[in-house]
Amino acid sequence: MHLAASWPNWLEAHTTALVEVPLRIALIVVVLAVIRWVAKRAITRVVQHILQPSGDDHESRPPRRVGRGAAVLLRDRTRSSQRREQRARTIGSVLSSGVTIVLALLGTAMILDQVGIALGPLLASAGVVGLAIGFGAQSLVADYLSGLLIMVEDQYGVGDTVDLGEAVGEVERIGLRLTHVRDLNGGLWHIRNGEVLRVRNDSQDWARAVLDVAVAYDANLDTVYQVLEDAGRSLRQDPAFSAVLLEDPSVWGVQSLDADGVVVRLAVKTIPLQQWGVTRELRRRVKDALDAAGIDIPFPQRTIWLRNEEPETRLTAR
């Protein structure tokens, strides 16, 4: 009888612990789950927006030029889509993980508060541990933050030719912590993103082919200018190079007066990564045009004086 009378009193005294607390915990979990779902939808939309191809990707590309001369290797269209996809997936993954971690920590703290566990000592202990880990992993945190900013700002991506200091070559893979660059000799460089202080990207927007041509001092510069312009114009009219050059090659004028001749500069804008092939082809055409016009290309000369019993003899070495 006494037990039956005390049971309602026990239920009334523990109603909060048995009903209200679980309901509050369930409400916290549901609200956080909804917030996470909304955040992931927003992140997915951002990723899809990044993955949308730009108008440049639909432009027609001429076929590769094979045979003699500079091989014009145009960038594979799939490179840009792979780079864009990798960048979008990585950013989306980082944002999703960040939202999940923040909501999980917030939910854990709120649930512990509902259960009645004091958060003060736990937060103090977590702060001390986090401070110790932060001091020990400063470089790691810097690497991840730098990698995230590199991707968000689109400083470079897979397939780009970059100069990161000692490492110069093509980017093969880029992550949040490391960037992998294959140099001209085939070596693979592993660079921590936190150590990337400056980047020269040769694959964005446009490039410039610059050719310095030395001619003899007795050459007529007006004739030289005309020959160089004609050589550049013939390159622009070549179907194999018409899509590579963004403008007509132009003669900038006399670059320097060297000991052996006058240096004249010829330059032209090209699509990215094609400036070296254009420079090689320009060099070949300029050489043929100067020979046809009878303009000498100077070479170093040295005069040696020999003194002996005979009259002085002068030898000219070339």
Side-chain angles (χ1 to χ4, degrees):
M1 189 70 179
H2 177 72
L3 182 61
S6 62
W7 179 250
N9 296 332
W10 185 87
L11 286 177
E12 183 179 356
H14 295 80
T15 298
T16 301
L18 295 177
V19 179
E20 293 184 7
V21 172
L23 288 177
R24 291 174 184 174
I25 294 176
L27 181 61
I28 291 173
V29 172
V30 171
V31 171
L32 292 179
V34 172
I35 294 176
R36 183 176 181 272
W37 179 80
V38 173
K40 287 184 69 68
R41 285 290 301 271
I43 293 172
T44 302
R45 289 188 177 184
V46 172
V47 171
Q48 290 177 350
H49 178 72
I50 297 176
L51 286 175
Q52 288 178 356
S54 61
D56 295 339
D57 294 336
H58 299 289
E59 294 180 357
S60 59
R61 301 287 190 181
R64 289 185 177 182
R65 175 177 183 259
V66 294
R68 185 182 176 186
V72 181
L73 303 177
L74 297 176
R75 298 184 64 187
D76 190 354
R77 191 179 308 174
T78 59
R79 283 279 183 90
S80 60
S81 63
Q82 290 175 356
R83 165 182 173 175
R84 184 170 55 251
E85 181 177 359
Q86 181 194 36
R87 175 170 163 250
R89 301 298 183 194
T90 303
I91 294 174
S93 176
V94 171
L95 293 178
S96 298
S97 300
V99 169
T100 301
I101 292 173
V102 171
L103 293 179
L105 293 177
L106 181 60
T108 301
M110 296 175 67
I111 291 174
L112 291 177
D113 182 64
Q114 293 297 321
V115 174
I117 298 177
L119 297 179
L122 291 177
L123 293 177
S125 301
V128 173
V129 174
L131 187 62
I133 295 176
F135 277 115
Q138 292 183 54
S139 60
L140 188 62
V141 174
D143 293 340
Y144 278 96
L145 290 178
S146 298
L148 180 61
L149 290 177
I150 288 172
M151 291 187 179
V152 171
E153 297 173 357
D154 196 20
Q155 298 178 15
Y156 55 84
V158 175
D160 284 353
T161 298
V162 297
D163 181 353
L164 302 180
E166 294 187 15
V168 180
E170 181 180 348
V171 178
E172 287 196 349
R173 188 154 52 95
I174 175 174
L176 288 177
R177 194 176 75 87
L178 293 175
T179 294
H180 305 266
V181 176
R182 182 79 63 177
D183 63 18
L184 183 62
N185 297 321
L188 184 62
W189 291 72
H190 304 266
I191 304 102
R192 288 171 40 205
N193 292 328
E195 294 182 346
V196 177
L197 302 180
R198 90 286 187 280
V199 181
R200 190 190 74 191
N201 193 331
D202 293 324
S203 306
Q204 289 184 346
D205 299 332
W206 56 272
R208 176 174 283 126
V210 179
L211 178 63
D212 289 337
V213 182
V215 297
Y217 272 98
D218 57 358
N220 186 287
L221 290 181
D222 292 333
T223 303
V224 172
Y225 289 175
Q226 187 62 46
V227 170
L228 296 181
E229 289 177 356
D230 293 342
R233 193 176 300 111
S234 67
L235 181 66
R236 181 71 187 278
Q237 295 172 354
D238 190 335
F241 289 90
S242 59
V244 177
L245 303 184
L246 302 180
E247 63 182 11
D248 290 331
S250 59
V251 178
W252 286 5
V254 176
Q255 182 66 18
S256 63
L257 300 175
D258 292 346
D260 302 308
V262 181
V263 177
V264 180
R265 173 159 292 184
L266 177 67
V268 60
K269 273 187 178 182
T270 72
I271 64 175
L273 300 182
Q274 302 306 312
Q275 62 270 31
W276 302 294
V278 170
T279 302
R280 288 191 291 269
E281 182 65 16
L282 264 180
R283 190 176 292 115
R284 183 183 69 82
R285 291 175 182 248
V286 166
K287 171 64 168 57
D288 294 341
L290 291 178
D291 290 343
I295 300 175
D296 293 333
I297 299 178
F299 48 86
Q301 301 187 22
R302 181 182 304 169
T303 300
I304 302 176
W305 294 85
L306 299 179
R307 184 181 298 276
N308 50 27
E309 296 180 356
E310 301 294 332
E312 293 183 353
T313 303
R314 184 177 67 179
L315 300 179
T316 300
R318 296 185 177 182

